[in-house]
Amino acid sequence: TTTPYAYGSLPGYVLDQFSLDHEDGHLRVATTIRNWWRVPLDDSSTVLAQETPPMTENYVSVLKLNGTRWDVVGQTPSLGKEGETIHAIRYFRKVAYVVTFRQTDPFYVIDLSDPTVEKIPVLGELSITGFSQYLHPLNEDETILLALGQDADDTGRT
């Protein structure tokens, strides 16, 4: 049998394996919280539906092991505009790059140099049409990234 080493939880879901990272004893996790709701269409059934985009929140959280529990020690403010979800993330030693998307591609630079700060600062933001799905470093000091994704028009159509 497998015995867990430690436990922890965060609300929401992770996008992929790039959403998790471990650095200097801290676990770094990018999550999206999406609030879906059920709308009755008639008397006989209910289906998952939405007239407007669901409320979303996107965070980068830093957790530290405390005995057998992972505790949150820091977290960014919610990233992205209403309805946007995380489409790409890449961690480096002291920063993280996060892409959210609905109609434009906000690209965030997150300061992770002090993993114990409660409110993790956002160093910068860039908005362009389309979205990036993969971020890859091109130099050793991790300041030049290759971003691969799709172009989109002003309404978010790809």
Side-chain angles (χ1 to χ4, degrees), residues 43-146:
D43 292 338
S44 62
S45 67
T46 53
V47 298
L48 190 61
Q50 63 188 63
E51 293 180 15
T52 59
M55 291 177 38
T56 57
E57 298 173 79
N58 304 289
Y59 297 99
V60 174
S61 303
V62 176
L63 296 88
K64 183 161 181 63
L65 191 60
N66 180 10
T68 60
R69 191 178 69 238
W70 287 101
D71 291 332
V72 175
V73 294
Q75 190 173 65
T76 62
S78 183
L79 304 169
K81 297 178 180 82
E82 189 59 48
E84 292 179 347
T85 60
I86 293 175
H87 274 246
I89 181 157
R90 191 65 182 244
Y91 295 97
F92 298 100
R93 289 178 210 100
K94 303 299 177 192
V95 297
Y97 298 98
V98 181
V99 173
T100 62
F101 178 75
R102 179 162 170 248
Q103 291 180 325
T104 59
D105 177 353
F107 179 87
Y108 297 93
V109 181
I110 311 299
D111 181 359
L112 296 173
S113 61
D114 180 0
T116 63
V117 66
E118 186 177 337
K119 293 185 180 180
I120 299 171
V122 176
L123 296 175
E125 174 184 343
L126 171 67
S127 289
I128 56 176
T129 59
F131 62 91
S132 302
Q133 292 177 295
Y134 177 72
L135 304 173
H136 189 80
L138 292 180
N139 62 347
E140 285 188 27
D141 63 357
E142 302 168 342
T143 57
I144 300 175
L145 292 177
L146 171 66

